[in-house]
Amino acid sequence: MDLPENFSFSQHNLQDYMDCRYRFLLKYVLGIEWPAVENEPVLLQEARMELGNQFHRLVQQYFAGIDPAVIESSIDSDELTAWWRAFTELNLNAQSGEKYAEKLLSIPLANHRLVAKYDLFIRKNDGSYTIYDWKTSLRPPSPMRLMDRLQSIVYPFVLQSYLSSAAQSSGKRDKIEMIYWFPAHPTDPVAFSYTAEQLGNDRDYLLGLVNEITGNNEEWFEKTLAVKKCAYCRYRSLCDRGISAGDLGDEVDSIDSDSAFELDFDTL
Ligand code: SF4
């Protein structure tokens, strides 16, 4: 399968591929735009995602050096104010080390690039790194579910690979921790360490996915058999998997700003 010129792999498009090969084909290879049906659940999801986007923007301003009190005065939502106050209690700017907010890193993978955009990572004075990812869903996903997401592989893998190849690396493996932090549940982060042993395994795994995508023809990219995943996919009418969006009920609580186009998979 030929991918578009300048195509880069990311946790989003690889997750799409894992969730539904056909969706990957439609979205990234054929570039088919297909309007999602607007209805009440969809609008509710969009409102949740917009709140998450606002939170990310506030945090970006914080790391750009804007006074937290000034930032808070710009907030006009009680929920966002509560999230913001929980965030400021982390007092991350007081922590020693270099901080990189909304940082994009890219590494070569096969004949392509693999990119990761970090909400924040900190290079601590002892040379270790902590990656933060803000998850603004009302209800935090289970740690097991988070660990199953491609993001939990791609983010530490890209950082470790970048450090290993960059001049600033001492040659030894850098110690990396990743933290999913939930402003609605500030005392329940999900954290894990990335070990040197994982790097080789993850490279093999990711290369396997890339080779699978690039080495197969269109017939390989079949519709998912897990039809539940179609409920909020914008291609569902194109795929004859229903016209109306599914009713997610309480599942809407698990939507965050990362969901974006992929909200169907992030919520199921
Ligand atoms: S509607 Fe279902 S089968 Fe079609 S692209 Fe979306 S997830 Fe895949």
Side-chain angles (χ1 to χ4, degrees):
M1 175 59 63
D2 291 332
L3 296 171
E5 207 178 335
N6 298 327
F7 178 88
S8 293
F9 286 99
S10 69
Q11 58 114 352
H12 276 305
N13 54 38
L14 287 172
Q15 189 67 56
D16 270 337
Y17 176 73
M18 293 300 291
D19 288 331
C20 178
R21 294 177 198 163
Y22 191 57
R23 187 176 184 198
F24 181 94
L25 178 76
L26 292 175
K27 187 176 174 186
Y28 303 107
V29 181
L30 303 179
I32 293 178
E33 297 289 335
W34 199 258
V37 179
E38 287 219 343
N39 60 17
E40 197 172 336
V42 170
L43 296 176
L44 187 55
Q45 290 178 34
E46 287 175 352
R48 298 300 319 167
M49 287 193 292
E50 175 52 26
L51 202 64
N53 285 332
Q54 286 177 28
F55 177 77
H56 280 71
R57 284 195 289 272
L58 297 178
V59 172
Q60 198 173 358
Q61 290 169 12
Y62 172 87
F63 288 111
I66 298 175
D67 184 337
V70 172
I71 297 174
E72 183 167 330
S73 68
S74 71
I75 304 172
D76 60 3
S77 148
D78 290 345
E79 187 174 9
L80 197 52
T81 299
W83 289 3
W84 172 249
R85 288 180 180 167
F87 170 77
T88 55
E89 282 175 18
L90 293 176
N91 209 9
L92 289 174
N93 259 345
Q95 284 191 19
S96 59
E98 296 168 49
K99 301 169 188 78
Y100 302 86
E102 299 294 326
K103 176 82 174 171
L104 190 76
L105 291 183
S106 158
I107 60 163
L109 188 69
N111 293 324
H112 294 273
R113 308 286 303 180
L114 176 64
V115 299
K117 187 176 182 196
Y118 302 88
D119 287 341
L120 172 72
F121 65 80
I122 301 176
R123 183 184 190 278
K124 296 181 181 168
N125 292 341
D126 64 2
S128 66
Y129 286 79
T130 303
I131 300 168
Y132 283 92
D133 193 76
W134 324 125
K135 290 286 182 215
T136 53
S137 53
L138 276 182
R139 198 174 53 193
S142 72
M144 198 178 296
R145 185 165 167 244
L146 274 174
M147 298 308 292
D148 277 349
R149 304 290 290 175
L150 260 297
Q151 185 177 17
S152 297
I153 294 175
V154 169
Y155 276 35
F157 173 79
V158 168
L159 180 58
Q160 180 66 80
S161 302
Y162 177 83
L163 294 171
S164 298
S165 63
Q168 64 259 39
S169 174
S170 60
K172 65 177 173 46
R173 297 283 189 233
D174 300 272
K175 191 173 165 224
I176 294 176
E177 181 187 35
M178 180 158 174
I179 298 176
Y180 290 109
W181 186 77
F182 312 91
H185 302 271
T187 57
D188 298 315
V190 173
F192 64 94
S193 296
Y194 194 73
T195 63
E197 295 69 43
Q198 283 170 263
L199 190 70
N201 292 339
D202 287 346
R203 180 178 291 111
D204 291 345
Y205 173 68
L206 292 168
L207 278 172
L209 286 182
V210 170
N211 290 336
E212 209 172 84
I213 291 168
T214 55
N216 279 291
N217 58 23
E218 241 181 85
E219 283 72 51
W220 172 259
F221 294 81
E222 296 177 329
K223 295 176 185 173
T224 178
L225 296 176
V227 293
K228 201 177 170 190
K229 291 183 173 177
C230 305
Y232 268 77
C233 178
R234 68 174 55 202
Y235 295 120
R236 61 188 176 277
S237 58
L238 179 69
C239 295
D240 203 18
R241 293 277 173 97
I243 295 172
S244 300
D247 182 3
L248 292 176
D250 290 345
E251 293 290 346
V252 77
D253 293 351
S254 65
I255 295 165
D256 69 19
S257 59
D258 279 351
S259 303
F261 187 83
E262 292 75 18
L263 57 86
D264 41 341
F265 300 113
D266 277 358
T267 55
L268 294 170

